[in-house]
Amino acid sequence: EAEVAQSPRYKITEKSQAVAFWCDPISGHATLYWYRQILGQGPELLVQFQDESVVDDSQLPKDRFSAERLKGVDSTLKIQPAELGDSAMYLCASSSPPTSGPYEQYFGPGTRLTVT
Amino acid sequence: LAKTTQPISMDSYEGQEVNITCSHNNIATNDYITWYQQFPSQGPRFIIQGYKTKVTNEVASLFIPADRKSSTLSLPRVSLSDTAVYYCLVAGNNRKLIWGLGTSLAVNP
């Protein structure tokens, strides 16, 4: 079964440093999502791509976060500089158009970020 | 955006049927109801989705009354491996999913 790949699985960084996460969606999935999930809470959408275009980045802290999906396939999420409050699980998901209803999203294993 | 309300936590025992109810009073005409399951340190996994009445698949059933203001996820004969957080989401086509706190289900031996 095809899966969403993410790396690294775990990342520890010091505050003010830069950090980057990578995601490779399921082949053929045009829509890619980056979520942030704080322990004990549900995922929060940071950015959504349709192919290489951003369709929703309303919750992305643009002063320090950036995301790109240059060729409409894999994607990178960057934080610079990292802050203590950025410690969370960063999840990537992808989807393809369903026959009806909202897109079923397939999630990767996530990257656990700890900022010290 | 439709807001959902579901219990924060539930306890059950192996072999029992578990029903998790979600309230969504302001659901829109074109909204679907979707449930995801999440294990610790993993991404959420799609369980089931429905628009009205009853939907059943190999792992769960989803019951939606005629007014669609609530829905119930039914897990038959749960096992220890069903211990997870279950999220109820309401959204229409191309609308983003708004995730709440979910229901933390603990299945005891």
Side-chain angles (χ1 to χ4, degrees):
Chain A
E1 180 178 309
E3 297 180 342
V4 175
Q6 288 189 250
S7 66
R9 290 294 309 277
Y10 304 92
K11 180 70 177 180
I12 300 174
T13 191
E14 295 181 347
K15 63 180 181 179
S16 80
Q17 296 298 305
V19 63
F21 314 125
W22 176 79
C23 172
D24 191 13
I26 292 173
S27 178
H29 282 193
T31 309
L32 184 147
Y33 315 78
W34 281 103
Y35 288 89
R36 175 173 60 187
Q37 185 173 27
I38 296 170
L39 194 62
Q41 298 184 19
E44 174 194 16
L45 180 68
L46 293 176
V47 62
Q48 177 181 339
F49 289 92
Q50 182 66 31
D51 298 308
E52 66 275 10
S53 301
V54 173
V55 297
D56 186 347
D57 63 355
S58 56
Q59 299 303 311
L60 187 71
K62 298 180 186 63
D63 57 336
R64 298 184 301 108
F65 286 64
S66 64
E68 61 182 15
R69 194 184 183 198
L70 294 177
K71 297 183 179 179
V73 181
D74 59 340
S75 176
T76 302
L77 178 70
K78 297 179 181 177
I79 308 175
Q80 182 175 18
E83 297 181 352
L84 295 177
D86 296 331
S87 293
M89 175 76 87
Y90 289 83
L91 295 161
C92 178
S94 68
S95 66
S96 63
T99 53
S100 64
Y103 292 13
E104 176 183 336
Q105 298 185 19
Y106 295 83
F107 284 81
T111 296
R112 171 72 66 188
L113 173 67
T114 302
V115 182
T116 62
Chain B
L1 294 172
K3 180 180 177 180
T4 60
T5 302
Q6 52 184 124
I8 293 296
S9 64
M10 294 183 66
D11 279 279
S12 184
Y13 292 91
E14 284 190 289
Q16 289 190 337
E17 177 184 74
V18 171
N19 296 308
I20 306 175
T21 298
C22 179
S23 171
H24 28 79
N25 291 319
N26 60 340
I27 188 170
T29 302
N30 61 347
D31 282 345
Y32 283 72
I33 300 149
T34 310
W35 287 80
Y36 281 77
Q37 175 193 55
Q38 186 176 27
F39 298 112
S41 299
Q42 294 186 25
R45 183 176 71 98
F46 174 91
I47 301 176
I48 197 167
Q49 179 176 285
Y51 184 80
K52 61 181 179 180
T53 61
K54 177 182 176 182
V55 180
T56 297
N57 61 24
E58 63 276 8
V59 298
S61 295
L62 178 60
F63 299 92
I64 306 168
D67 66 5
R68 304 199 328 121
K69 293 184 182 299
S70 67
S71 59
T72 299
L73 174 72
S74 181
L75 304 173
R77 299 180 299 280
V78 294
S79 64
L80 296 177
S81 62
D82 292 316
T83 295
V85 178
Y86 293 83
Y87 293 95
C88 166
L89 302 108
V90 171
N93 290 333
N94 297 325
R95 284 174 51 194
K96 68 182 179 183
L97 300 177
I98 304 298
W99 301 72
L101 297 177
T103 296
S104 179
L105 172 66
V107 179
N108 302 292

